[in-house]
Amino acid sequence: MSDSRQRWGSKAGFLISAIGSAIGLGNIWRYPYVLYKYGGGAFLIPYFVAAASVAIPLLVLEYTLGSKYRGTSPLAWARVRRNCEWIGWLPGFCAIFITFYYTVILAWAMVYIKYAATLAWGQDTNTFFFGTFLKLSDSPMQPGGINTSILIPLVILWGSAFLIMRTKVNRGLEWANKIMMPLAIVIIAIIIVRGIMLPGAVDGLNTLFTPRFEALYDPEVWLAAFGHVFFSCSIAMGVMITYSSYLPKKSEITNSASVAALSNFACEIACAIGIFAILGYMAGAVGKPVTEVVSSGIGLAFIAFPSCINTMGDAGVFFGIAFFLCLFVTGYTSFLSLLEAFAAPLSEKFGIARKKIMGIVCAIGLCASSIFATGAGLYILDIVDHFINNWGLVSVGIAQAFVVGWILKTSYIHQQAIQDSYFKRFFFGKFWIFCMKSIPFLMAWSLIQSTYTIITDGYEGYPTIALLLYGVLVIAVCAAFAFNMQGRKWTITVESPSIPRVPGRKE
Ligand code: PHE
């Protein structure tokens, strides 16, 4: 079969883009908070267990599917088994839903870069963020009007994404990553070095890392670890399959997957250190314990951080701009990857030109993300994020590993994974096969637990109707689209003699 797929300009271009997808808001805005909330230093145990037994093995699987089966996520799965195509579509639809709210957080970061220049948030950063800036309504069911100060950056974000993504991957996407990722790393390094030199930094780090081992008995903590490594490494989202499909067929897999995952983990632990060092400084400056200045989730970046910057005098402006710029740049490359994971399969399946499909998707994306620019945006974002991470990604992970570990001949795919690799033994040998067989059960247990918690306790006190609408319905819509897509015709040849279908277990 002549292989006319687009190609990365170089292997380094692919790796930078894969790392660019992995390093994102999750590292800066999500991980420090997850680490702190779910047991401090003790969380590192479930985190590394999840990294070694789920993240790296699944990354290896995804790189194998993309590069050896020569297709974006749905095509690669269709080539593995015709009736598995939906496993490739489901993450694509989840990916586009993520972009709807992910871009809104990027839009906030853009506005906050401007605010940082004048410390426009004033002394009460909490009231400023929720009231003046977001104009937050009373409930997720009361959207109110669209906030124009968020809508304008959203237009810039979707517009610029279109301009970058309409060209071939090695021109637009790869170049954007090659420019933005080094910039992000430099900014992160400056923030960390500056952060740990501040007085009080040690208190922050003690608060972050002091282990609370009782957390390990809580299934929610393990679920958070599995959910987080999925989100953080951009797994089960179609991104890595699609990205690796632009590699040559004979590509080394295990090394690349390990480099991408480990760079991401190193980066997020470094970010947590930098952020908590700065929070430690702030706690000292305002005379409170660190636990009181740490707020949860988004509040960490948009409330605690601005307060912290307020206490830094002139350095605060520099620091504030660097922080929000970093949030923006790292998030932007992840956003582009999500867009690619959704748009590239559509272009491949229906034979629509890349430029056209990117135009349509970006226009729809802009309209959909405007919903998150309303007064109820933050609530909706919180619900969609929770359900996609805890149900969507986890289900795709289960499906992928279950099919490979239990339906197909596992050793066959394993052979593909290691055939061009330097490392074939131990971790990437029998252990990898063991992981494929155990991941579905491990993840199913997590899924059942989280579902049980949602049914019995709800989520964050939101009304049930809001959870059904923005959580359950969103996942159901993604699944319905995924199955619908499987039933439609491809405009290219799926079966090919050079890519044999994977035999079943008993064949
Ligand atoms: N990994 C990104 C982050 O940490 C988010 C992301 C998830 C990007 C899935 C692409 C796919 O922010």
Side-chain angles (χ1 to χ4, degrees):
M1 186 189 70
S2 73
D3 190 356
S4 56
R5 296 195 68 69
Q6 302 192 68
R7 285 276 173 99
W8 295 107
S10 64
K11 174 92 178 274
F14 159 70
L15 266 181
I16 290 179
S17 307
I19 296 172
S21 169
I23 298 180
L25 299 181
N27 299 57
I28 301 166
W29 154 75
R30 202 165 186 276
Y31 182 71
Y33 154 67
V34 169
L35 176 58
Y36 163 73
K37 179 173 172 195
Y38 294 106
F43 183 74
L44 291 175
I45 297 174
Y47 175 65
F48 281 117
V49 168
S53 62
V54 176
I56 298 182
L58 281 179
L59 263 189
V60 167
L61 172 66
E62 297 202 354
Y63 283 12
T64 307
L65 291 175
S67 77
K68 311 293 175 198
Y69 290 85
R70 325 277 332 120
T72 59
S73 159
L75 179 59
W77 274 107
R79 284 184 166 158
V80 166
R81 272 291 158 115
R82 228 16 213 276
N83 56 6
C84 287
E85 189 184 322
W86 67 273
I87 303 178
W89 283 111
L90 183 56
F93 285 102
C94 288
I96 198 68
F97 272 98
I98 294 187
T99 62
F100 297 159
Y101 69 81
Y102 205 81
T103 43
V104 175
I105 301 171
L106 294 183
W108 298 346
M110 282 171 81
V111 180
Y112 266 64
I113 296 174
K114 194 180 89 191
Y115 288 167
T118 54
L119 304 186
W121 44 66
Q123 288 308 312
D124 187 355
T125 55
N126 191 58
T127 311
F128 181 85
F129 180 66
F130 291 120
T132 321
F133 179 56
L134 291 186
K135 303 189 178 49
L136 194 66
S137 67
D138 292 334
S139 109
M141 304 312 284
Q142 290 173 11
I146 293 182
N147 194 337
T148 43
S149 59
I150 303 174
L151 187 63
I152 295 166
L154 276 178
V155 173
I156 299 174
L157 278 164
W158 286 101
S160 61
F162 167 68
L163 293 178
I164 294 172
M165 301 296 275
R166 74 200 161 124
T167 57
K168 290 194 165 158
V169 287
N170 60 339
R171 294 187 56 212
L173 186 57
E174 185 169 340
W175 272 101
N177 276 290
K178 279 186 172 165
I179 294 168
M180 290 180 136
M181 280 322 286
L183 176 67
I185 302 291
V186 171
I187 307 174
I188 291 175
I190 295 174
I191 292 177
I192 294 167
V193 171
R194 179 78 171 81
I196 53 181
M197 287 186 328
L198 291 169
V202 174
D203 296 335
L205 297 183
N206 280 338
T207 310
L208 173 66
F209 285 114
T210 303
R212 297 189 300 278
F213 286 107
E214 67 283 1
L216 299 181
Y217 297 109
D218 184 352
E220 206 197 324
V221 170
W222 289 83
L223 184 74
F226 291 120
H228 181 78
V229 295
F230 264 66
F231 185 82
S232 176
C233 288
S234 309
I235 299 171
M237 199 43 71
V239 172
M240 292 303 168
I241 301 186
T242 299
Y243 270 17
S244 53
S245 76
Y246 305 135
L247 281 171
K249 186 160 189 251
K250 286 189 87 50
S251 290
E252 186 286 328
I253 302 287
T254 53
N255 218 5
S256 310
S258 310
V259 168
L262 294 176
S263 316
N264 176 56
F265 296 138
C267 172
E268 69 188 357
I269 292 178
C271 285
I273 292 175
I275 288 192
F276 271 76
I278 295 166
L279 290 177
Y281 159 78
M282 175 181 146
V286 296
K288 285 185 180 170
V290 181
T291 43
E292 271 182 41
V293 296
V294 179
S295 47
S296 63
I298 292 164
L300 193 67
F302 292 95
I303 298 166
F305 237 79
S307 302
C308 196
I309 290 162
N310 284 345
T311 60
M312 289 183 166
D314 287 345
V317 170
F318 163 78
F319 223 102
I321 293 178
F323 175 75
F324 289 108
L325 189 62
C326 178
L327 210 57
F328 172 75
V329 173
T330 53
Y332 194 83
T333 49
S334 302
F335 158 51
L336 294 184
S337 74
L338 289 161
L339 202 51
E340 180 71 20
F342 178 66
L346 287 177
S347 150
E348 200 166 52
K349 175 132 189 165
F350 299 110
I352 308 171
R354 186 173 170 89
K355 189 171 169 185
K356 186 167 174 195
I357 199 79
M358 285 297 172
I360 298 171
V361 172
C362 289
I364 296 176
L366 175 62
C367 299
S369 47
S370 310
I371 298 173
F372 296 89
T374 60
L378 181 64
Y379 303 126
I380 306 176
L381 184 156
D382 194 17
I383 300 172
V384 178
D385 179 59
H386 185 79
F387 277 79
I388 290 198
N389 283 309
N390 288 294
W391 281 11
L393 303 198
V394 176
S395 312
V396 174
I398 294 174
Q400 293 197 150
F402 185 74
V403 169
V404 172
W406 293 97
I407 310 264
L408 303 173
K409 206 174 214 162
T410 319
S411 57
Y412 187 90
I413 297 231
H414 180 238
Q415 207 47 45
Q416 311 268 323
I418 56 172
Q419 67 184 357
D420 299 303
S421 294
Y422 314 133
F423 300 113
K424 306 180 181 211
R425 289 165 168 264
F426 306 116
F427 195 70
F428 298 109
K430 289 210 167 69
F431 181 70
W432 187 86
I433 295 185
F434 169 76
C435 290
M436 285 306 123
K437 295 203 182 289
S438 45
I439 288 171
F441 300 104
L442 203 67
M443 305 293 302
W445 167 72
S446 301
L447 186 65
I448 292 167
Q449 286 289 345
S450 71
T451 309
Y452 178 76
T453 313
I454 289 175
I455 292 171
T456 51
D457 305 346
Y459 174 62
E460 300 280 329
Y462 290 119
T464 310
I465 176 78
L467 296 183
L468 289 174
L469 188 63
Y470 304 125
V472 180
L473 187 65
V474 164
I475 300 289
V477 165
C478 290
F481 275 126
F483 284 107
N484 179 281
M485 284 290 169
Q486 173 163 307
R488 291 168 186 261
K489 254 185 130 67
W490 285 89
T491 49
I492 55 165
T493 340
V494 174
E495 273 87 18
S496 141
S498 66
I499 307 177
R501 130 192 187 288
V502 182
R505 280 186 89 196
K506 299 207 167 64
E507 288 169 47

